[in-house]
């Protein structure tokens, strides 16, 4: 008998399991739909990956029907299913895991969790009550009139805003004039915000060229011609965002949708507002997926996309999985940002996924940055991507003057404690205070002291669960491990030798704030880091206060490095440019260059000219020197040359294989076994390092060892690993992870 069956990929299995089920009469099921099924007589959930009509009579066994659907509509578009398979093969993760990570949490379970509210509505009798002749109290009359006027209202609004009593509503309900029912409501976190529309700006020549090339790519695709991803290399303040806004406008006009990825950290209320303002007339078609939203709010924003009500999505990494149909454009802002790489399974790089999705969906993709990643830059050199350039700031403003201060000389001047402020930086801040201009100070380390140590015996406070030092946080009066979060009271004497002369080594934002307050007694100083911005909306309020010039000096971690635009800021100080420069990671230099350039881009974005002061102990480092001269191309050339020599990405690709266990020997032993297997039939063109301890050899009580597989083709490397590990099992306490194109060398 010919019957319609579905292939269902089962949730939660350790490897991908697919079974066939029958579709019961009267149920509509499509690929991408989430369904409830029974597996070995236990309830389970899965995703329909395809539908097939087969002759069930010849199967030799009976298929079970699916039990039901999680929601009426499929959560995944066919394009997303295809993308999930791609990610699974490339990043060595089960398709099932990839699919689940594409869905917001409240939608992953047996039933989609939706917020419901009680709604009150007039019945036919209620609508007609004027003719019924029944006696009503004044209050009851009021309720009916209000509903007559407004249609349905939520019970909460009736009793709250309109101040009507529950008892009059109840009695009207008993008398059959109105009905109380439940409705699903979508929370809109920005519901109460009114956006003043701002219209498109007249583009300058450079912007126009870029916009045209994006639109041109769209037209070519429609004509069936191949196009390449576009890398927009535009200096900070060159008006990149304005170009995206206009490209999106055009996309919407053509009836298509757009996804804009921004790094989590720069997804500030300010960025969101810019999009909401431009699209104020279609405000509810813009979905914003921030991490500041509650899980429920994010889910509702995602639902708006699923229901095709939202046609523009702005969001961090996972927004690339928005179930948008008829995509017309994908933009990846600040494409060099490391936060596009997910550090848990599936370990995908959202920027690269954006390119893959654009190919699947047949739409243009724009990657943009003032400091492109060397991967993308190299792709323009080898012809895989098209390059678009915007080299001038809007209105021809000059790039800020960058001064490098050698802190080796400065630290000789201070009597005690760390050298936090050079003479030059202190003077520059004083000038700004005198002129009523504002300063941003940047320090990428939170806490008070980097660690505490005993000068008598050399004791250093280490985390007992990780191979790292503990950071002193004065505000909480705790030593805190930034790896695992373990905390303890700071000792008053040395735990080893009982000496009382324990010292604070190095400094973080907390200590810098304390010193700034001592030096600039009259200045209004505010610190922005994850410790000081724990309350909801605190960041938004602080940034607004800064914009309103109620703060003179803003001191912060990378939370303030990106995407912020304050016309009155004329000075940016980088307190310690060396944080992050000397870690064992081939990208350390690239990151430092990017960070300096991005931070410097915060200065002088208004009418006033900007100045940047960079304090460093390694003033001649190429990253610092190239950043000083605003010379991305020079930096890229030198760095790529070095990467080529050392066989680092982008020339060779990597898969980082890490083995972890609470038992050191078992981790080491398992890695050796795996190493031997990988090496035995190592395909041509691949190489393998010897097993080594990870740079962070212990974390969260687990020992960590690693090998790196290198080669030109990550797909082939993934295939080799899959082949070798197919029948390999490890002890239960041993965890093996594969990280393709890793961003943290662990
Ligand atoms: P980027 O994203 O490259 O850093 P933005 O798009 O934020 O630059 O632009 C910087 C500032 O210049 C913003 O205030 C923006 O409104 C303004 N701007 C951008 N394009 C134009 C233009 N064509 N004419 C006038 N102002 C512009
Ligand atoms: Zn000691
Ligand atoms: Zn720890």
């Amino acid at each position: 008998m010919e019957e319609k069956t579905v292939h269902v990929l089962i949730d939660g299995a350790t490897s991908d399991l697919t079974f066939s089920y029958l579709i019961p009469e009267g149920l509509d099921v499509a690929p991408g739909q989430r369904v409830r099924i029974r597996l070995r007589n236990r309830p389970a959930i899965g995703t329909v990956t395809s539908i097939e009509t087969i002759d069930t009579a010849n199967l030799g066994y009976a298929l079970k029907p699916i039990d039901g659907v999680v929601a009426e509509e499929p959560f995944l578009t066919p394009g997303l299913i295809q993308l999930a398979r791609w990610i699974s093969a490339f990043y060595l993760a089960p398709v099932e895991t990839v699919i689940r990570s594409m869905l917001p949490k409240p939608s992953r379970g047996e039933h989609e969790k939706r917020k419901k509210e009680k709604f009150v509505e007039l019945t036919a009798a209620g609508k007609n009550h004027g003719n019924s002749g029944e006696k009503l109290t004044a209050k009851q009359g009021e309720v009916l009139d209000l509903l007559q006027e407004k249609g349905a209202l939520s019970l909460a609004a009736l009793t709250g805003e309109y101040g009507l009593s529950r008892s009059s509503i109840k009695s009207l309900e008993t008398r059959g004039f109105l009905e109380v029912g439940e409705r699903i409501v979508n929370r809109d976190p920005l519901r109460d915000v009114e956006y003043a529309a701002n219209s498109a700006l007249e583009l300058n020549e450079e912007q126009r060229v870029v916009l045209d090339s994006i639109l041109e790519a769209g037209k070519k695709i429609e004509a069936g011609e191949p196009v390449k991803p576009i890398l927009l290399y535009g200096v900070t303040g060159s008006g990149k965002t304005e170009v995206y806004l206009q490209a999106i406008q055009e996309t919407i006009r053509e009836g298509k949708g757009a996804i804009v990825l921004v790094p989590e950290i720069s997804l500030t209320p300010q960025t969101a507002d810019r999009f909401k303002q431009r699209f104020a007339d279609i405000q509810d078609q813009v979905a914003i997926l921030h991490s500041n939203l509650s899980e429920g709010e994010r889910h509702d924003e995602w639902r708006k996309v699923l229901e095709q009500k939202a046609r523009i999505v702005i969001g961090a990494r996972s927004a690339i999985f928005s179930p948008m149909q008829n995509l017309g454009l994908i933009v990846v802002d600040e494409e060099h940002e490391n936060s596009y790489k997910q550090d848990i399974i599936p370990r995908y790089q959202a920027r690269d996924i954006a390119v893959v999705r654009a190919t699947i969906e047949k739409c243009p993709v724009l990657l943009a940055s003032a400091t492109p990643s060397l991967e993308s830059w190299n792709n323009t050199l080898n012809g895989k991507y098209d390059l678009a350039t915007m080299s001038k700031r809007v209105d021809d403003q000059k790039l800020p003057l960058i001064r490098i201060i050698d802190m080796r000389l400065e630290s000789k001047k201070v009597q005690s404690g760390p050298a936090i402020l050079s003479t030059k930086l202190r003077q520059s801040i004083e000038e700004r205070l005198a002129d009523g201009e504002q300063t941003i100070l940047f320090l990428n380390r939170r806490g008070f002291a980097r660690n505490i140590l005993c000068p008598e015996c050399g004791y250093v406070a280490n985390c007992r669960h990780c191979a790292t030092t503990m950071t002193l946080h004065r505000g909480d009066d705790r030593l805190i491990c930034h790896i695992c979060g373990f905390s303890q009271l700071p000792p008053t004497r040395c735990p080893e030798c009982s000496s009382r002369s324990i010292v604070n080594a190095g400094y973080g934002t907390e200590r810098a704030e304390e010193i700034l307050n001592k030096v600039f007694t009259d200045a209004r100083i505010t610190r922005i880091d994850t410790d000081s911005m724990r309350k909801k909306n605190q960041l938004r309020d602080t940034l607004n206060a800064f914009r309103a010039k109620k703060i003179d000096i803003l001191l912060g971690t990378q939370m303030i490095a990106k995407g912020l635009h304050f016309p009155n800021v004329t000075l940016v100080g980088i307190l310690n440019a060396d944080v992050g420069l000397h870690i064992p990671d081939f990208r350390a230099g690239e990151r430092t260059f990017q960070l300096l350039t991005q931070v410097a881009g915060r200065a002088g974005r208004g009418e006033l000219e900007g100045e940047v002061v960079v304090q460093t102990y390694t003033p001649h480092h190429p990253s610092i020197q190239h950043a000083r001269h605003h010379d991305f191309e020079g930096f890229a050339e030198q760095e790529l040359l070095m990467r080529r020599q050392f066989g680092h990405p982008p020339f060779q690709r990597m898969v980082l294989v890490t083995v972890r266990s609470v038992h050191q020997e078992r981790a080491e032993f398992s890695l050796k076994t795996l190493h031997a297997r990988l090496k035995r039939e190592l395909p041509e063109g691949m190489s393998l390092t010897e097993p080594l301890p990870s740079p962070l050899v212990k974390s969260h009580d687990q020992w960590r060892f690693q090998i790196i597989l290198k080669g030109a083709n990550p797909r082939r490397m993934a295939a080799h690993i899959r082949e070798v590990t197919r029948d390999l099992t490890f002890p239960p306490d041993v965890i093996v992870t594969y990280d393709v194109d890793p961003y943290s060398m662990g």
Side-chain angles (χ1 to χ4, degrees):
M1 188 174 61
E2 293 278 309
E3 279 185 293
K4 238 179 155 184
T5 64
V6 287
H7 292 287
V8 177
L9 177 64
I10 312 294
D11 273 21
T14 44
S15 62
D16 287 330
L17 281 181
T18 305
F19 293 103
S20 293
Y21 290 85
L22 292 172
I23 307 176
E25 195 84 15
L27 198 62
D28 248 343
V29 179
Q33 198 139 24
R34 301 272 292 158
V35 292
R36 291 190 296 276
I37 63 265
R38 298 192 75 79
L39 182 67
R40 292 185 209 97
N41 259 328
R42 293 232 186 98
I45 316 170
T47 308
V48 175
T49 51
S50 57
I51 297 184
E52 200 182 6
T53 305
I54 54 167
D55 189 353
T56 47
N58 292 336
L59 273 181
Y61 53 91
L63 288 182
K64 288 197 201 82
I66 59 172
D67 289 349
V69 292
V70 170
E72 270 175 38
E73 57 281 76
F75 287 170
L76 299 157
T77 62
L80 284 175
I81 298 176
Q82 198 183 336
L83 188 64
R85 294 195 190 286
W86 191 96
I87 292 173
S88 161
F90 191 94
Y91 292 104
L92 288 159
V95 183
E96 174 292 307
T97 314
V98 180
I99 283 183
R100 266 191 300 155
S101 73
M102 288 177 160
L103 303 174
K105 259 213 192 100
S107 72
R108 287 181 205 163
E110 223 171 293
H111 297 281
E112 189 184 10
K113 293 197 191 89
R114 317 254 343 237
K115 187 172 175 188
K116 294 199 180 114
E117 234 173 42
K118 287 214 157 100
F119 264 78
V120 183
E121 201 169 13
L122 290 180
T123 58
K127 284 184 185 142
N128 244 330
H129 76 270
N131 309 331
S132 70
E134 284 203 46
K135 274 233 157 50
L136 298 175
T137 64
K139 276 277 164 202
Q140 289 170 341
E142 235 180 278
V143 176
L144 293 184
D145 290 345
L146 188 67
L147 287 169
Q148 196 79 270
E149 187 196 338
K150 304 260 176 196
L153 279 172
S154 77
L155 187 61
L158 276 172
T159 56
E161 272 162 73
Y162 296 105
L164 296 166
S165 76
R166 229 164 239 280
S167 63
S168 33
I169 296 168
K170 187 88 210 149
S171 71
L172 285 169
E173 188 188 4
T174 353
R175 291 167 67 179
F177 285 134
L178 49 81
E179 260 174 356
V180 182
E182 264 192 342
R183 283 194 192 176
I184 290 171
V185 285
N186 278 337
R187 284 146 288 203
D188 179 356
L190 298 172
R191 166 184 52 219
D192 300 329
V193 188
E194 284 254 350
Y195 289 95
N198 85 16
S199 44
L201 301 169
E202 175 97 36
L203 296 183
N204 64 31
E205 185 56 30
E206 285 190 325
Q207 288 174 313
R208 173 126 299 280
V209 171
V210 178
L211 179 63
D212 285 347
S213 63
I214 302 167
L215 303 180
E216 184 65 24
K219 295 214 180 73
K220 275 193 180 162
I221 292 175
E222 268 181 12
E225 290 172 45
V227 300
K228 295 173 185 175
I230 302 169
L231 174 67
L232 168 56
Y233 161 47
V235 299
T236 44
S238 58
K240 295 186 288 298
T241 313
E242 185 61 33
V243 174
Y244 319 151
L245 288 169
Q246 299 201 18
I248 295 167
Q249 227 161 0
E250 199 54 33
T251 307
I252 297 299
R253 221 182 45 76
E254 285 175 2
K256 297 182 177 171
I259 296 178
V260 182
L261 296 188
V262 292
E264 189 67 78
I265 210 145
S266 69
L267 192 45
T268 56
Q270 211 180 352
T271 319
D273 288 355
R274 245 177 118 179
F275 283 87
K276 286 271 186 181
Q277 278 162 357
R278 179 60 54 87
F279 300 104
D281 56 329
I282 49 165
Q283 191 183 319
D284 46 347
Q285 293 183 31
V286 183
I288 310 238
L289 299 164
H290 275 228
S291 63
N292 279 352
L293 303 181
S294 70
E295 210 165 71
E297 285 170 337
R298 284 170 69 88
H299 179 219
D300 288 352
E301 291 289 285
W302 172 85
R303 262 244 157 229
K304 270 175 32 189
V305 185
L306 184 72
E307 292 162 15
Q308 310 303 313
K309 287 179 186 146
R311 300 300 294 146
I312 304 171
V313 177
I314 327 285
R317 192 171 59 217
S318 63
I320 193 58
F321 301 133
S322 301
M324 171 104 61
Q325 289 169 22
N326 197 9
L327 253 179
L329 178 67
I330 303 177
V331 176
V332 184
D333 189 26
E334 312 280 9
E335 67 88 32
H336 64 279
E337 267 290 319
N338 295 326
S339 66
Y340 284 127
K341 172 78 178 181
Q342 170 146 300
D343 55 9
I344 54 170
I345 190 166
R347 295 183 165 76
Y348 64 90
Q349 158 55 281
R351 178 233 302 149
D352 298 343
I353 295 310
V355 171
V356 179
R357 183 155 188 205
T359 312
I360 293 174
E361 312 269 1
K362 300 194 173 54
C363 74
V365 55
L366 179 74
L367 315 178
S369 173
T371 53
S373 63
L374 291 177
E375 284 82 359
S376 298
W377 185 251
N378 193 53
N379 278 337
T380 67
L381 299 178
N382 64 24
K384 283 192 192 144
Y385 293 178
D386 282 332
L387 176 65
T389 308
M390 299 196 325
S391 55
K392 289 198 296 276
R393 280 188 156 190
V394 172
D395 291 346
D396 274 334
Q397 290 159 319
K398 269 190 275 173
L399 288 166
L401 181 68
I402 300 185
R403 290 179 207 281
I404 309 290
I405 308 296
D406 187 344
M407 292 306 279
R408 293 173 301 188
L409 307 175
E410 293 293 326
S411 56
K412 294 197 182 111
K413 296 184 198 163
V414 288
Q415 316 288 325
S416 68
I420 290 183
L421 274 181
S422 57
T423 314
K424 171 63 199 152
L425 183 55
R426 178 203 285 235
Q427 280 166 356
S428 292
I429 295 175
E430 274 161 1
E431 282 165 25
R432 296 317 184 287
L433 291 172
D435 294 347
E437 293 169 14
Q438 291 169 294
T439 300
I440 289 179
L441 296 178
F442 178 80
L443 175 62
N444 210 4
R445 182 187 286 139
R446 61 201 178 86
F448 188 81
R450 188 181 63 231
N451 57 309
I452 60 167
L453 52 86
C454 170
E456 309 276 328
C457 73
Y459 161 84
V460 178
N462 282 320
C463 177
R464 78 169 67 135
H465 307 287
C466 310
T468 187
T469 58
M470 307 266 281
T471 305
L472 178 65
H473 287 249
R474 264 256 181 99
D476 301 323
D477 193 27
R478 305 293 284 179
L479 282 172
I480 301 177
C481 170
H482 285 181
I483 300 290
C484 74
F486 172 73
S487 75
Q488 66 185 52
L489 272 175
T492 48
R493 14 165 100 222
C494 175
E496 303 279 326
C497 75
S498 302
S499 157
R500 284 194 179 276
S501 53
I502 277 200
V503 296
N504 297 323
Y507 65 97
T509 44
E510 243 183 285
R511 194 173 195 180
E513 183 187 27
E514 189 183 283
I515 289 173
L516 290 169
N517 275 317
K518 278 189 196 141
V519 177
F520 307 107
T521 40
D522 295 330
R524 295 161 301 176
I525 301 169
T526 302
R527 188 181 89 202
I528 290 192
D529 56 29
T530 45
D531 301 317
S532 70
M533 296 288 135
R534 282 177 197 161
K535 289 201 208 87
K536 198 175 176 169
N537 293 331
Q538 205 170 2
L539 180 62
R540 187 185 198 118
D541 295 346
T542 307
L543 295 176
N544 283 338
F546 190 59
R547 185 163 310 110
K549 303 185 193 172
K550 290 179 188 150
I551 296 169
D552 302 309
I553 303 174
L554 200 60
L555 164 70
T557 54
Q558 55 177 340
M559 282 176 92
I560 58 168
K562 313 272 154 58
L564 301 176
H565 179 58
F566 301 107
N568 196 45
V569 172
T570 55
L571 173 64
V572 169
I574 293 157
L575 298 184
N576 184 355
D578 307 336
V579 176
L581 196 53
H582 306 297
I583 50 172
D585 186 324
F586 68 91
R587 284 197 184 85
E590 182 182 9
R591 282 189 193 137
T592 299
F593 176 85
Q594 289 165 344
L595 193 66
L596 292 183
T597 309
Q598 297 285 344
V599 176
R602 302 301 118 222
R605 300 199 69 176
E607 308 282 279
L608 307 163
E609 207 171 302
E611 180 187 11
V612 180
V613 176
V614 177
Q615 305 189 147
T616 170
Y617 288 85
T618 52
H620 302 296
H621 194 284
S623 298
I624 292 177
Q625 283 302 324
H626 280 115
R628 175 189 182 185
H629 295 111
H630 304 286
D631 183 14
F632 169 75
E633 291 174 54
F635 169 75
E637 193 183 328
Q638 181 173 353
E639 183 73 17
L640 283 176
L641 203 68
M642 214 168 71
R643 298 261 184 105
R644 192 190 285 278
Q645 264 165 13
F646 288 99
H648 284 324
F651 301 103
Q652 293 266 300
R653 306 284 283 268
M654 292 177 173
V655 182
L656 176 66
V657 182
T658 306
V659 172
R660 313 189 305 242
S661 169
V662 288
H663 305 290
Q664 183 175 353
E665 335 69 63
R666 277 208 253 180
E668 282 189 274
F669 182 76
S670 301
L671 186 64
K672 278 194 187 123
T673 314
L674 187 53
H675 180 258
R677 290 272 198 119
L678 284 170
K679 203 168 175 175
R680 201 157 58 201
E681 279 159 40
L682 195 65
E684 183 112 10
M686 290 183 206
S687 66
L688 196 62
T689 63
E690 289 304 307
L692 282 173
S694 300
L696 185 63
V697 66
K698 189 177 153 200
S699 161
H700 299 76
D701 283 322
Q702 284 179 322
W703 294 92
R704 299 144 52 90
F705 295 87
Q706 65 178 29
I707 41 182
I708 297 170
L709 179 63
K710 276 191 181 184
N713 185 336
R715 280 164 165 281
R716 283 186 55 222
M717 296 195 281
H720 177 55
I721 290 174
R722 235 190 328 270
E723 187 57 41
V724 162
T725 54
R726 196 176 301 271
D727 52 355
L728 202 58
T729 52
F730 298 99
D733 59 287
V734 171
I735 300 162
V736 182
T737 59
Y738 305 98
D739 192 352
V740 181
D741 292 338
Y743 274 66
S744 156
M745 302 313 290

